[in-house]
Amino acid sequence: MPLKRKRKAQTLADGVADFYRELEGRKTPFGAVVAPRGVDDMDFIARLHFSLESKRERDFDFADQRGFTLAQKIKCHLVPCIDSSCRAVIDGALYSVAYIDEDRPFMYLYLDGGAPLGEVGCDGADS
């Protein structure tokens, strides 16, 4: 009987992402939601190590169908409180979590944006 091989542990060593949720009640006098300009405008959720994943043609097609631009695709450990309303900060750039694909015990995050912190306009677009 052959010996079973131990599954090689996957490393998530490409970087560290900080996840945040926008603060409630941040609105202009006209009632429009104000986009966060920095980490002080958001609540910290978690800090996770990640690995960069390749962006395939079908990932770009999927992003187009969903109405976002795929800036980064990362893989990290599954954390239930992270959802598509969260923001990620990687190397000083602010991303929106556009979609999450769960594959226990990991999750694949499709990130939109990538504006340097402090350079996000009031409408959430790059300035």
Side-chain angles (χ1 to χ4, degrees):
M1 178 181 329
L3 294 173
K4 289 186 180 179
R5 287 188 170 214
K6 230 181 194 180
R7 197 176 250 191
K8 187 177 179 182
Q10 294 187 10
T11 59
L12 305 172
D14 288 334
V16 176
D18 291 333
F19 291 92
Y20 295 88
R21 190 171 312 279
E22 293 182 28
L23 293 174
E24 296 291 324
R26 288 183 32 99
K27 296 186 179 192
T28 65
F30 303 108
V33 177
V34 177
R37 290 190 167 274
V39 295
D40 295 335
D41 299 335
M42 301 179 286
D43 285 329
F44 179 76
I45 298 172
R47 174 173 283 164
L48 300 174
H49 291 271
F50 68 87
S51 67
L52 286 170
E53 297 295 308
S54 61
K55 297 178 275 188
R56 304 167 296 184
E57 187 64 35
R58 65 180 173 181
D59 294 329
F60 288 109
D61 293 340
F62 176 76
D64 285 339
Q65 290 173 355
R66 292 276 185 150
F68 68 92
T69 304
L70 181 61
Q72 293 285 343
K73 181 180 172 186
I74 63 172
K75 173 182 170 182
C76 53
H77 288 284
L78 180 64
V79 176
C81 60
I82 295 176
D83 56 25
S84 59
S85 66
C86 294
R87 300 283 188 127
V89 176
I90 300 172
D91 294 330
L94 182 65
Y95 296 92
S96 295
V97 177
Y99 182 76
I100 298 174
D101 186 13
E102 293 182 12
D103 184 21
R104 296 191 186 272
F106 299 105
M107 62 182 171
Y108 294 86
L109 297 130
Y110 293 69
L111 304 176
D112 184 14
L117 278 175
E119 293 186 19
V120 178
C122 293
D123 61 353
D126 300 349
S127 50

